[in-house]
Amino acid sequence: MKKKNKFKLGTWITSYNPQALEIISDLKFDWIGIDMEHSPINFDQLSVLISIIQRSRIKAYVRVGNNEILEIKKTLDLGADGLIVPMIKNKEDAINAVKFTRYPPIGNRSFGYSKANKYGLNFKNYINKSKKIKLLLQIEHIDGINNLNSILSVKNIDGTIIGPYDLSGSINQPGNLNSKKMKKLIKIYEKISKKNRISMGFHQVKINFNEIKNKIKKNYIYICVGTDLEFLATIYRNTFNKIK
């Protein structure tokens, strides 16, 4: 019997709205990603959003602003369950993401009292817990596709996730996600990921159930659907059009 694909369904937060997030968290996603790259969310607000998500026993993932040690350290110290590191283009980028995320001897993340370890009360327990933090590398540039074999040779990563808009932009076709070249790049990504047995992911920003079903069929694990503001815009637009 073929093993069923146990995909992890997530969604994306791009605004600081605790009340809205409480509603979203009630839907029992497997994970919710908070965007620190293309949103105005700051670290104080990030701390609140992480707490709301985890209170619902959902994994709180954060897409950090860049692949930089201080940004990653602050995010992890706030207790994030997973990191999505953007714009991974080569093996060196992947190595740095691992180094910045993991404690020694694997990486060089620094130790300190923080929210993640209850300000020292759970210091030792958190060090063990930190080994389970998910590290997802975002493949969103043609260089990342071209260097994917070497990127996936790096140990201590849990998967990758396609950023479709930046990927399309890197081939001078921003937003054209169904072009022949984009489809070819996605096929290359799938082939190399499966060969290396690394979990695949995709952010389906525009709600498209056929595309989501297709990703599930192809054994994508980290499937992210929409954003908070995309859902808001869609329901408002559809309701308005029906009334007018």
Side-chain angles (χ1 to χ4, degrees):
M1 181 183 295
K2 186 177 179 181
K3 189 176 180 180
K4 187 177 180 180
N5 176 18
K6 295 182 179 180
F7 68 94
K8 305 294 184 182
L9 184 63
T11 191
W12 207 250
I13 301 302
T14 62
S15 64
Y16 180 69
N17 191 324
Q19 294 86 354
L21 184 56
E22 287 178 349
I23 295 172
I24 294 168
S25 297
D26 197 50
L27 295 173
K28 303 303 178 185
F29 284 96
D30 295 299
W31 59 279
I32 295 177
I34 304 168
D35 189 5
M36 293 289 284
E37 183 184 15
H38 290 295
S39 82
I41 297 169
N42 61 41
F43 282 106
D44 284 337
Q45 294 169 336
L46 176 63
S47 180
V48 174
L49 297 179
I50 288 174
S51 294
I52 291 172
I53 293 169
Q54 292 175 338
R55 194 163 63 222
S56 295
R57 297 186 179 182
I58 298 172
K59 298 297 183 183
Y61 290 5
V62 179
R63 201 256 297 271
V64 291
N66 54 42
N67 189 9
E68 191 268 329
I69 188 168
L70 184 60
E71 179 98 3
I72 289 174
K73 176 166 53 179
K74 284 178 175 289
T75 300
L76 292 176
D77 282 351
L78 289 176
D81 298 301
L83 284 185
I84 300 172
V85 182
M87 204 55 73
I88 300 297
K89 295 181 180 180
N90 51 50
K91 185 176 182 178
E92 183 180 2
D93 288 343
I95 290 172
N96 284 335
V98 172
K99 283 198 305 182
F100 301 156
T101 302
R102 309 300 183 188
Y103 284 124
I106 294 173
N108 60 9
R109 178 185 173 190
S110 65
F111 298 91
Y113 285 5
S114 66
K115 178 183 176 182
N117 57 43
K118 293 191 182 299
Y119 310 99
L121 295 176
N122 286 337
F123 186 79
K124 290 185 178 179
N125 287 338
Y126 176 72
I127 292 174
N128 289 325
K129 182 182 176 182
S130 72
K131 297 174 184 177
K132 297 181 180 180
I133 290 172
K134 297 296 183 183
L135 176 58
L136 304 182
L137 306 182
Q138 195 157 30
I139 306 300
E140 50 182 349
H141 194 280
I142 190 170
D143 289 349
I145 299 293
N146 291 337
N147 295 317
L148 192 56
N149 266 310
S150 61
I151 289 171
L152 298 185
S153 71
V154 176
K155 295 181 179 180
N156 297 296
I157 63 173
D158 296 288
T160 65
I161 183 167
I162 289 286
Y165 283 89
D166 271 322
L167 182 57
S168 65
S170 75
I171 56 173
N172 201 29
Q173 297 179 1
N176 188 0
L177 308 185
N178 293 311
S179 71
K180 288 183 179 180
K181 193 165 186 179
M182 269 293 287
K183 289 181 178 179
K184 182 179 179 180
L185 292 178
I186 297 300
K187 285 183 179 179
I188 294 171
Y189 165 77
E190 293 170 349
K191 182 178 179 181
I192 295 174
S193 297
K194 290 176 181 178
K195 184 186 75 174
N196 287 275
R197 298 182 178 180
I198 299 293
S199 296
M200 299 184 294
F202 195 92
H203 188 182
Q204 185 63 45
V205 181
K206 293 290 184 182
I207 312 303
N208 185 315
F209 294 107
N210 288 331
E211 287 293 336
I212 294 167
K213 289 178 181 178
N214 183 48
K215 296 298 185 297
I216 295 172
K217 185 178 180 181
K218 290 185 175 181
N219 290 315
Y220 280 72
I221 299 300
Y222 298 98
I223 298 176
C224 185
V225 180
T227 75
D228 49 355
L229 298 185
E230 173 65 25
F231 278 109
L232 181 67
T234 298
I235 192 65
Y236 263 97
R237 187 183 301 113
N238 290 345
T239 303
F240 179 83
N241 289 338
K242 286 180 180 179
I243 295 172
K244 290 292 279 190

